[in-house]
Amino acid sequence: RLTNGEFRHVQINATPKLDADGRYCGTLAVCRNITELKRTEEKLHLQTSALVATANGIVICDKSGRILWVNPAFTTLTGYTANEAIGRTPTMLKSGAHAPEFYATLWKTVLAGKDWHGELINRRKDGSTYHEEMTITPVLDDRGAIKHFVAVKQDISRRKHDEEQVRAREEAFRALADNVPDAVARIDRNFRFAYGNRALAADIKKEPSEFL
């Protein structure tokens, strides 16, 4: 503790001091102020704890794309443990659903030092596929060179499933509405046409697409 009441972390290295006859006559102590080091360690511990606890999958890669660290949410999402993932590249998750150009654009973006955000279909360890929303952020060193990549992954399979269900119901509704003789319209909350079937379009001499 300092005279102003503040605390300091100190590292002490003590060495016994012997006289000419080899008898102990004192101690030589070297003290080093490690307060800033301890603060940095505490900050890193807090940041790591936050990454471990987050519900989104986190992957940290080196500049060549080799996986260095993953959090537990990554294992929940993909089925791969940290030991199975570290040392490999994210290509182990490829499902084959995307053309090479998709990944070329992704890499071109992050290697230019820019964030990439998008959706993709990946494959879990058990072979099942899932929809993922991912953001990749390049981490730069003091000279502006890329040092690491941090990817944040979120499973959006449920959302994509729900969107597909809505799309299917909409298509079924339109197929039914377009084949009835009566005029059918859908009006939005602002009292504008959101949809008009063929019968309505014929009555008012519009194309169905003009209602949108």
Side-chain angles (χ1 to χ4, degrees):
R1 183 195 292 264
L2 302 181
T3 54
N4 62 3
E6 293 183 7
F7 286 93
R8 289 288 185 268
H9 289 274
V10 179
Q11 183 182 65
I12 301 175
N13 293 319
T15 303
K17 186 177 180 182
L18 307 178
D19 62 17
D21 296 324
R23 292 175 297 187
Y24 173 79
C25 63
T27 300
L28 176 64
V30 177
C31 299
R32 178 188 173 204
N33 185 351
I34 58 169
T35 303
E36 289 303 317
L37 176 61
K38 296 298 291 185
R39 287 175 180 169
T40 300
E41 289 177 350
E42 290 171 359
K43 183 179 179 181
L44 289 174
H45 176 71
L46 178 61
Q47 292 172 339
T48 301
S49 297
L51 291 176
V52 168
T54 185
N56 291 336
I58 307 291
V59 182
I60 299 177
C61 298
D62 64 18
K63 61 182 179 182
S64 67
R66 196 75 55 183
I67 296 174
L68 301 175
W69 185 86
V70 299
N71 70 341
F74 171 87
T75 298
T76 302
L77 176 62
T78 68
Y80 289 97
T81 66
N83 287 338
E84 291 171 325
I86 291 173
R88 302 177 66 179
T89 67
T91 56
M92 67 183 187
L93 301 175
K94 277 188 177 181
S95 65
H98 304 283
E101 292 77 15
F102 175 88
Y103 296 102
T105 300
L106 184 159
W107 275 106
K108 182 179 180 180
T109 301
V110 298
L111 289 174
K114 301 176 182 178
D115 292 355
W116 181 90
H117 180 81
E119 297 180 3
L120 59 163
I121 300 173
N122 274 340
R123 189 179 302 280
R124 297 185 178 93
K125 181 182 177 180
D126 64 8
S128 62
T129 58
Y130 64 97
H131 290 267
E132 175 184 298
E133 186 174 70
M134 179 170 67
T135 299
I136 304 176
T137 301
V139 179
L140 310 180
D141 62 19
D142 295 337
R143 297 172 296 175
I146 294 173
K147 188 176 182 181
H148 297 97
F149 296 106
V150 177
V152 180
K153 299 169 170 287
Q154 181 180 5
D155 188 349
I156 59 170
S157 299
R158 175 60 65 86
R159 188 182 82 192
K160 300 299 288 187
H161 173 75
D162 292 345
E163 289 174 354
E164 185 58 35
Q165 293 290 335
V166 170
R167 189 179 301 110
R169 288 195 293 268
E170 178 68 18
E171 290 176 356
F173 166 77
R174 292 187 179 217
L176 177 63
D178 280 341
N179 286 284
V180 297
D182 299 321
V184 177
R186 180 185 292 148
I187 309 298
D188 65 19
R189 65 179 62 186
N190 295 315
F191 301 101
R192 295 178 299 193
F193 281 110
Y195 168 77
N197 72 342
R198 292 172 184 168
L200 178 63
D203 285 345
I204 61 177
K205 297 181 173 54
K206 279 180 174 286
E207 291 295 325
S209 61
E210 294 182 68
F211 290 113
L212 302 178

